[in-house]
mmCIF file of all heavy atoms in Angstrom:
data_model
loop_
_atom_site.group_PDB
_atom_site.id
_atom_site.type_symbol
_atom_site.label_atom_id
_atom_site.label_comp_id
_atom_site.label_asym_id
_atom_site.label_seq_id
_atom_site.Cartn_x
_atom_site.Cartn_y
_atom_site.Cartn_z
ATOM 1 N N ASP A 1266 19.516 -18.591 -11.693
ATOM 2 C CA ASP A 1266 20.373 -18.229 -12.821
ATOM 3 C C ASP A 1266 20.081 -19.098 -14.043
ATOM 4 O O ASP A 1266 20.124 -18.612 -15.179
ATOM 5 C CB ASP A 1266 21.849 -18.380 -12.426
ATOM 6 C CG ASP A 1266 22.288 -17.332 -11.410
ATOM 7 O OD1 ASP A 1266 21.592 -16.304 -11.278
ATOM 8 O OD2 ASP A 1266 23.302 -17.564 -10.733
ATOM 9 N N HIS A 1267 19.768 -20.367 -13.818
ATOM 10 C CA HIS A 1267 19.540 -21.273 -14.949
ATOM 11 C C HIS A 1267 18.316 -20.848 -15.757
ATOM 12 O O HIS A 1267 18.311 -20.971 -16.985
ATOM 13 C CB HIS A 1267 19.362 -22.708 -14.461
ATOM 14 C CG HIS A 1267 19.115 -23.677 -15.585
ATOM 15 N ND1 HIS A 1267 20.085 -24.034 -16.489
ATOM 16 C CD2 HIS A 1267 17.986 -24.339 -15.965
ATOM 17 C CE1 HIS A 1267 19.575 -24.874 -17.377
ATOM 18 N NE2 HIS A 1267 18.306 -25.077 -17.085
ATOM 19 N N PHE A 1268 17.288 -20.352 -15.086
ATOM 20 C CA PHE A 1268 16.066 -19.965 -15.790
ATOM 21 C C PHE A 1268 16.036 -18.472 -16.136
ATOM 22 O O PHE A 1268 15.010 -17.965 -16.569
ATOM 23 C CB PHE A 1268 14.835 -20.357 -14.957
ATOM 24 C CG PHE A 1268 14.657 -21.844 -14.856
ATOM 25 C CD1 PHE A 1268 15.048 -22.530 -13.716
ATOM 26 C CD2 PHE A 1268 14.118 -22.560 -15.908
ATOM 27 C CE1 PHE A 1268 14.900 -23.903 -13.627
ATOM 28 C CE2 PHE A 1268 13.963 -23.937 -15.828
ATOM 29 C CZ PHE A 1268 14.355 -24.612 -14.681
ATOM 30 N N ASP A 1269 17.164 -17.810 -15.952
ATOM 31 C CA ASP A 1269 17.303 -16.403 -16.323
ATOM 32 C C ASP A 1269 18.100 -16.316 -17.628
ATOM 33 O O ASP A 1269 18.677 -17.293 -18.099
ATOM 34 C CB ASP A 1269 18.024 -15.648 -15.204
ATOM 35 C CG ASP A 1269 17.799 -14.150 -15.261
ATOM 36 O OD1 ASP A 1269 17.124 -13.687 -16.212
ATOM 37 O OD2 ASP A 1269 18.305 -13.445 -14.371
ATOM 38 N N ARG A 1270 18.150 -15.130 -18.207
ATOM 39 C CA ARG A 1270 18.943 -14.910 -19.413
ATOM 40 C C ARG A 1270 20.428 -14.825 -19.055
ATOM 41 O O ARG A 1270 20.791 -14.354 -17.977
ATOM 42 C CB ARG A 1270 18.519 -13.603 -20.094
ATOM 43 C CG ARG A 1270 17.086 -13.578 -20.566
ATOM 44 C CD ARG A 1270 16.842 -14.536 -21.730
ATOM 45 N NE ARG A 1270 17.618 -14.219 -22.898
ATOM 46 C CZ ARG A 1270 17.231 -13.364 -23.857
ATOM 47 N NH1 ARG A 1270 16.067 -12.719 -23.753
ATOM 48 N NH2 ARG A 1270 17.990 -13.145 -24.914
ATOM 49 N N ASN A 1271 21.261 -15.295 -19.952
ATOM 50 C CA ASN A 1271 22.709 -15.162 -19.809
ATOM 51 C C ASN A 1271 23.203 -14.451 -21.066
ATOM 52 O O ASN A 1271 23.548 -15.083 -22.071
ATOM 53 C CB ASN A 1271 23.371 -16.534 -19.658
ATOM 54 C CG ASN A 1271 24.853 -16.440 -19.361
ATOM 55 O OD1 ASN A 1271 25.527 -15.524 -19.816
ATOM 56 N ND2 ASN A 1271 25.373 -17.403 -18.602
ATOM 57 N N TYR A 1272 23.205 -13.125 -20.995
ATOM 58 C CA TYR A 1272 23.477 -12.332 -22.188
ATOM 59 C C TYR A 1272 24.903 -12.512 -22.695
ATOM 60 O O TYR A 1272 25.138 -12.516 -23.907
ATOM 61 C CB TYR A 1272 23.186 -10.857 -21.911
ATOM 62 C CG TYR A 1272 21.722 -10.575 -21.711
ATOM 63 C CD1 TYR A 1272 21.203 -10.368 -20.437
ATOM 64 C CD2 TYR A 1272 20.847 -10.523 -22.794
ATOM 65 C CE1 TYR A 1272 19.854 -10.118 -20.242
ATOM 66 C CE2 TYR A 1272 19.498 -10.281 -22.613
ATOM 67 C CZ TYR A 1272 19.007 -10.081 -21.335
ATOM 68 O OH TYR A 1272 17.671 -9.845 -21.156
ATOM 69 N N GLU A 1273 25.858 -12.673 -21.790
ATOM 70 C CA GLU A 1273 27.240 -12.842 -22.225
ATOM 71 C C GLU A 1273 27.401 -14.134 -23.016
ATOM 72 O O GLU A 1273 28.024 -14.163 -24.089
ATOM 73 C CB GLU A 1273 28.182 -12.835 -21.017
ATOM 74 C CG GLU A 1273 28.255 -11.517 -20.286
ATOM 75 C CD GLU A 1273 27.128 -11.337 -19.276
ATOM 76 O OE1 GLU A 1273 26.242 -12.222 -19.195
ATOM 77 O OE2 GLU A 1273 27.129 -10.305 -18.583
ATOM 78 N N LEU A 1274 26.832 -15.222 -22.497
ATOM 79 C CA LEU A 1274 26.928 -16.503 -23.189
ATOM 80 C C LEU A 1274 26.162 -16.466 -24.512
ATOM 81 O O LEU A 1274 26.660 -16.948 -25.548
ATOM 82 C CB LEU A 1274 26.382 -17.615 -22.299
ATOM 83 C CG LEU A 1274 26.353 -19.028 -22.890
ATOM 84 C CD1 LEU A 1274 27.740 -19.467 -23.328
ATOM 85 C CD2 LEU A 1274 25.784 -20.013 -21.867
ATOM 86 N N GLU A 1275 24.973 -15.871 -24.487
ATOM 87 C CA GLU A 1275 24.190 -15.784 -25.721
ATOM 88 C C GLU A 1275 24.919 -14.963 -26.782
ATOM 89 O O GLU A 1275 24.912 -15.312 -27.971
ATOM 90 C CB GLU A 1275 22.819 -15.169 -25.425
ATOM 91 C CG GLU A 1275 21.920 -16.073 -24.592
ATOM 92 C CD GLU A 1275 20.595 -15.410 -24.266
ATOM 93 O OE1 GLU A 1275 20.125 -14.594 -25.081
ATOM 94 O OE2 GLU A 1275 20.022 -15.714 -23.206
ATOM 95 N N SER A 1276 25.562 -13.883 -26.352
ATOM 96 C CA SER A 1276 26.305 -13.049 -27.296
ATOM 97 C C SER A 1276 27.487 -13.811 -27.894
ATOM 98 O O SER A 1276 27.760 -13.730 -29.101
ATOM 99 C CB SER A 1276 26.796 -11.785 -26.594
ATOM 100 O OG SER A 1276 27.563 -10.982 -27.467
ATOM 101 N N ALA A 1277 28.203 -14.586 -27.047
ATOM 102 C CA ALA A 1277 29.345 -15.359 -27.535
ATOM 103 C C ALA A 1277 28.900 -16.412 -28.549
ATOM 104 O O ALA A 1277 29.556 -16.614 -29.581
ATOM 105 C CB ALA A 1277 30.064 -16.016 -26.359
ATOM 106 N N LEU A 1278 27.788 -17.078 -28.267
ATOM 107 C CA LEU A 1278 27.299 -18.104 -29.188
ATOM 108 C C LEU A 1278 26.803 -17.475 -30.487
ATOM 109 O O LEU A 1278 26.963 -18.053 -31.568
ATOM 110 C CB LEU A 1278 26.176 -18.909 -28.524
ATOM 111 C CG LEU A 1278 26.609 -19.786 -27.347
ATOM 112 C CD1 LEU A 1278 25.394 -20.367 -26.639
ATOM 113 C CD2 LEU A 1278 27.538 -20.909 -27.814
ATOM 114 N N THR A 1279 26.214 -16.291 -30.378
ATOM 115 C CA THR A 1279 25.747 -15.593 -31.584
ATOM 116 C C THR A 1279 26.929 -15.222 -32.471
ATOM 117 O O THR A 1279 26.876 -15.397 -33.703
ATOM 118 C CB THR A 1279 24.963 -14.330 -31.194
ATOM 119 O OG1 THR A 1279 23.812 -14.710 -30.426
ATOM 120 C CG2 THR A 1279 24.496 -13.580 -32.427
ATOM 121 N N ARG A 1280 28.008 -14.723 -31.867
ATOM 122 C CA ARG A 1280 29.187 -14.347 -32.646
ATOM 123 C C ARG A 1280 29.798 -15.563 -33.344
ATOM 124 O O ARG A 1280 30.327 -15.451 -34.452
ATOM 125 C CB ARG A 1280 30.234 -13.681 -31.749
ATOM 126 C CG ARG A 1280 29.850 -12.283 -31.278
ATOM 127 C CD ARG A 1280 31.053 -11.548 -30.710
ATOM 128 N NE ARG A 1280 31.671 -12.268 -29.621
ATOM 129 C CZ ARG A 1280 31.317 -12.130 -28.336
ATOM 130 N NH1 ARG A 1280 30.323 -11.299 -28.007
ATOM 131 N NH2 ARG A 1280 31.944 -12.808 -27.396
ATOM 132 N N LYS A 1281 29.702 -16.716 -32.703
ATOM 133 C CA LYS A 1281 30.242 -17.933 -33.297
ATOM 134 C C LYS A 1281 29.312 -18.532 -34.345
ATOM 135 O O LYS A 1281 29.691 -19.471 -35.038
ATOM 136 C CB LYS A 1281 30.493 -18.971 -32.206
ATOM 137 C CG LYS A 1281 31.633 -18.637 -31.260
ATOM 138 C CD LYS A 1281 31.801 -19.745 -30.231
ATOM 139 C CE LYS A 1281 32.953 -19.453 -29.278
ATOM 140 N NZ LYS A 1281 33.116 -20.533 -28.265
ATOM 141 N N GLY A 1282 28.097 -18.022 -34.412
ATOM 142 C CA GLY A 1282 27.130 -18.606 -35.331
ATOM 143 C C GLY A 1282 26.627 -19.966 -34.892
ATOM 144 O O GLY A 1282 26.167 -20.763 -35.721
ATOM 145 N N ASP A 1283 26.688 -20.247 -33.584
ATOM 146 C CA ASP A 1283 26.292 -21.550 -33.041
ATOM 147 C C ASP A 1283 24.813 -21.500 -32.665
ATOM 148 O O ASP A 1283 24.442 -21.375 -31.502
ATOM 149 C CB ASP A 1283 27.150 -21.890 -31.817
ATOM 150 C CG ASP A 1283 27.062 -23.359 -31.436
ATOM 151 O OD1 ASP A 1283 26.061 -23.998 -31.815
ATOM 152 O OD2 ASP A 1283 27.977 -23.859 -30.753
ATOM 153 N N ALA A 1284 23.955 -21.603 -33.673
ATOM 154 C CA ALA A 1284 22.515 -21.443 -33.458
ATOM 155 C C ALA A 1284 21.931 -22.564 -32.613
ATOM 156 O O ALA A 1284 21.008 -22.339 -31.828
ATOM 157 C CB ALA A 1284 21.801 -21.382 -34.809
ATOM 158 N N ASP A 1285 22.449 -23.776 -32.742
ATOM 159 C CA ASP A 1285 21.892 -24.900 -31.993
ATOM 160 C C ASP A 1285 22.095 -24.719 -30.492
ATOM 161 O O ASP A 1285 21.157 -24.873 -29.707
ATOM 162 C CB ASP A 1285 22.539 -26.213 -32.445
ATOM 163 C CG ASP A 1285 22.081 -26.634 -33.833
ATOM 164 O OD1 ASP A 1285 21.039 -26.111 -34.288
ATOM 165 O OD2 ASP A 1285 22.756 -27.467 -34.448
ATOM 166 N N ARG A 1286 23.322 -24.416 -30.102
ATOM 167 C CA ARG A 1286 23.577 -24.236 -28.675
ATOM 168 C C ARG A 1286 22.898 -22.971 -28.141
ATOM 169 O O ARG A 1286 22.454 -22.931 -26.990
ATOM 170 C CB ARG A 1286 25.080 -24.192 -28.403
ATOM 171 C CG ARG A 1286 25.743 -25.557 -28.544
ATOM 172 C CD ARG A 1286 27.189 -25.544 -28.042
ATOM 173 N NE ARG A 1286 27.766 -26.873 -28.058
ATOM 174 C CZ ARG A 1286 28.383 -27.425 -29.091
ATOM 175 N NH1 ARG A 1286 28.513 -26.723 -30.217
ATOM 176 N NH2 ARG A 1286 28.882 -28.643 -29.027
ATOM 177 N N LEU A 1287 22.798 -21.941 -28.964
ATOM 178 C CA LEU A 1287 22.098 -20.730 -28.550
ATOM 179 C C LEU A 1287 20.640 -21.046 -28.232
ATOM 180 O O LEU A 1287 20.091 -20.580 -27.223
ATOM 181 C CB LEU A 1287 22.182 -19.674 -29.650
ATOM 182 C CG LEU A 1287 21.425 -18.362 -29.375
ATOM 183 C CD1 LEU A 1287 21.993 -17.653 -28.153
ATOM 184 C CD2 LEU A 1287 21.493 -17.457 -30.616
ATOM 185 N N ALA A 1288 20.009 -21.856 -29.070
ATOM 186 C CA ALA A 1288 18.610 -22.220 -28.839
ATOM 187 C C ALA A 1288 18.462 -23.004 -27.536
ATOM 188 O O ALA A 1288 17.493 -22.801 -26.783
ATOM 189 C CB ALA A 1288 18.084 -23.036 -30.011
ATOM 190 N N LYS A 1289 19.422 -23.876 -27.237
ATOM 191 C CA LYS A 1289 19.351 -24.653 -25.993
ATOM 192 C C LYS A 1289 19.512 -23.753 -24.769
ATOM 193 O O LYS A 1289 18.848 -23.952 -23.743
ATOM 194 C CB LYS A 1289 20.430 -25.735 -25.999
ATOM 195 C CG LYS A 1289 20.174 -26.840 -27.011
ATOM 196 C CD LYS A 1289 21.307 -27.864 -27.016
ATOM 197 C CE LYS A 1289 21.037 -28.973 -28.029
ATOM 198 N NZ LYS A 1289 22.137 -29.963 -28.079
ATOM 199 N N VAL A 1290 20.390 -22.773 -24.876
ATOM 200 C CA VAL A 1290 20.599 -21.846 -23.760
ATOM 201 C C VAL A 1290 19.351 -21.004 -23.523
ATOM 202 O O VAL A 1290 18.937 -20.765 -22.382
ATOM 203 C CB VAL A 1290 21.828 -20.951 -24.040
ATOM 204 C CG1 VAL A 1290 21.874 -19.779 -23.064
ATOM 205 C CG2 VAL A 1290 23.109 -21.770 -23.954
ATOM 206 N N GLN A 1291 18.734 -20.539 -24.591
ATOM 207 C CA GLN A 1291 17.565 -19.672 -24.461
ATOM 208 C C GLN A 1291 16.307 -20.437 -24.066
ATOM 209 O O GLN A 1291 15.364 -19.852 -23.529
ATOM 210 C CB GLN A 1291 17.325 -18.930 -25.780
ATOM 211 C CG GLN A 1291 18.410 -17.916 -26.107
ATOM 212 C CD GLN A 1291 18.209 -17.258 -27.462
ATOM 213 O OE1 GLN A 1291 17.640 -17.860 -28.383
ATOM 214 N NE2 GLN A 1291 18.688 -16.028 -27.612
ATOM 215 N N GLU A 1292 16.307 -21.735 -24.326
ATOM 216 C CA GLU A 1292 15.108 -22.543 -24.068
ATOM 217 C C GLU A 1292 14.674 -22.460 -22.611
ATOM 218 O O GLU A 1292 13.489 -22.276 -22.308
ATOM 219 C CB GLU A 1292 15.380 -23.999 -24.446
ATOM 220 C CG GLU A 1292 14.193 -24.918 -24.233
ATOM 221 C CD GLU A 1292 14.519 -26.358 -24.586
ATOM 222 O OE1 GLU A 1292 15.721 -26.676 -24.745
ATOM 223 O OE2 GLU A 1292 13.584 -27.165 -24.690
ATOM 224 N N SER A 1293 15.610 -22.581 -21.673
ATOM 225 C CA SER A 1293 15.242 -22.601 -20.263
ATOM 226 C C SER A 1293 14.692 -21.258 -19.796
ATOM 227 O O SER A 1293 13.785 -21.210 -18.958
ATOM 228 C CB SER A 1293 16.443 -23.008 -19.398
ATOM 229 O OG SER A 1293 17.518 -22.100 -19.579
ATOM 230 N N SER A 1294 15.221 -20.149 -20.336
ATOM 231 C CA SER A 1294 14.750 -18.837 -19.898
ATOM 232 C C SER A 1294 13.414 -18.466 -20.516
ATOM 233 O O SER A 1294 12.727 -17.562 -20.026
ATOM 234 C CB SER A 1294 15.790 -17.758 -20.220
ATOM 235 O OG SER A 1294 16.104 -17.749 -21.600
ATOM 236 N N ASP A 1295 13.011 -19.163 -21.571
ATOM 237 C CA ASP A 1295 11.747 -18.863 -22.238
ATOM 238 C C ASP A 1295 10.632 -19.838 -21.863
ATOM 239 O O ASP A 1295 9.507 -19.715 -22.347
ATOM 240 C CB ASP A 1295 11.932 -18.902 -23.762
ATOM 241 C CG ASP A 1295 12.866 -17.806 -24.273
ATOM 242 O OD1 ASP A 1295 12.992 -16.785 -23.570
ATOM 243 O OD2 ASP A 1295 13.464 -17.990 -25.348
ATOM 244 N N LEU A 1296 10.924 -20.800 -21.005
ATOM 245 C CA LEU A 1296 9.973 -21.871 -20.719
ATOM 246 C C LEU A 1296 8.690 -21.373 -20.060
ATOM 247 O O LEU A 1296 7.585 -21.719 -20.476
ATOM 248 C CB LEU A 1296 10.620 -22.910 -19.795
ATOM 249 C CG LEU A 1296 11.300 -24.110 -20.436
ATOM 250 C CD1 LEU A 1296 11.975 -24.955 -19.370
ATOM 251 C CD2 LEU A 1296 10.317 -24.939 -21.230
ATOM 252 N N ALA A 1297 8.829 -20.612 -18.976
ATOM 253 C CA ALA A 1297 7.675 -20.279 -18.137
ATOM 254 C C ALA A 1297 7.926 -18.955 -17.446
ATOM 255 O O ALA A 1297 9.030 -18.414 -17.460
ATOM 256 C CB ALA A 1297 7.453 -21.384 -17.101
ATOM 257 N N THR A 1298 6.877 -18.444 -16.816
ATOM 258 C CA THR A 1298 7.028 -17.293 -15.929
ATOM 259 C C THR A 1298 7.451 -17.827 -14.572
ATOM 260 O O THR A 1298 6.682 -18.509 -13.887
ATOM 261 C CB THR A 1298 5.695 -16.523 -15.800
ATOM 262 O OG1 THR A 1298 5.272 -16.106 -17.100
ATOM 263 C CG2 THR A 1298 5.873 -15.315 -14.901
ATOM 264 N N MET A 1299 8.689 -17.546 -14.184
ATOM 265 C CA MET A 1299 9.273 -18.133 -12.984
ATOM 266 C C MET A 1299 9.209 -17.157 -11.806
ATOM 267 O O MET A 1299 9.444 -15.954 -11.967
ATOM 268 C CB MET A 1299 10.726 -18.532 -13.240
ATOM 269 C CG MET A 1299 10.928 -19.524 -14.380
ATOM 270 S SD MET A 1299 10.212 -21.150 -14.065
ATOM 271 C CE MET A 1299 11.143 -21.660 -12.612
ATOM 272 N N HIS A 1300 8.901 -17.700 -10.638
ATOM 273 C CA HIS A 1300 8.894 -16.944 -9.387
ATOM 274 C C HIS A 1300 9.653 -17.761 -8.353
ATOM 275 O O HIS A 1300 9.756 -18.984 -8.455
ATOM 276 C CB HIS A 1300 7.465 -16.698 -8.899
ATOM 277 C CG HIS A 1300 6.551 -16.110 -9.930
ATOM 278 N ND1 HIS A 1300 6.405 -14.756 -10.118
ATOM 279 C CD2 HIS A 1300 5.741 -16.704 -10.841
ATOM 280 C CE1 HIS A 1300 5.538 -14.536 -11.090
ATOM 281 N NE2 HIS A 1300 5.128 -15.701 -11.561
ATOM 282 N N TYR A 1301 10.141 -17.079 -7.322
ATOM 283 C CA TYR A 1301 10.950 -17.752 -6.310
ATOM 284 C C TYR A 1301 10.582 -17.237 -4.920
ATOM 285 O O TYR A 1301 10.322 -16.044 -4.736
ATOM 286 C CB TYR A 1301 12.445 -17.523 -6.568
ATOM 287 C CG TYR A 1301 12.876 -17.962 -7.946
ATOM 288 C CD1 TYR A 1301 12.826 -17.066 -9.027
ATOM 289 C CD2 TYR A 1301 13.288 -19.266 -8.196
ATOM 290 C CE1 TYR A 1301 13.189 -17.466 -10.300
ATOM 291 C CE2 TYR A 1301 13.656 -19.673 -9.472
ATOM 292 C CZ TYR A 1301 13.600 -18.771 -10.521
ATOM 293 O OH TYR A 1301 13.951 -19.162 -11.781
#
Side-chain angles (χ1 to χ4, degrees):
D1266 290 341
H1267 180 70
F1268 292 101
D1269 200 357
R1270 298 292 298 272
N1271 186 327
Y1272 292 103
E1273 294 84 356
L1274 178 57
E1275 291 177 31
S1276 178
L1278 292 171
T1279 298
R1280 289 195 303 271
K1281 291 181 179 180
D1283 196 338
D1285 288 342
R1286 287 190 174 88
L1287 177 62
K1289 291 178 180 179
V1290 167
Q1291 292 176 331
E1292 181 182 14
S1293 59
S1294 56
D1295 295 336
L1296 267 175
T1298 302
M1299 302 294 298
H1300 309 271
Y1301 304 89

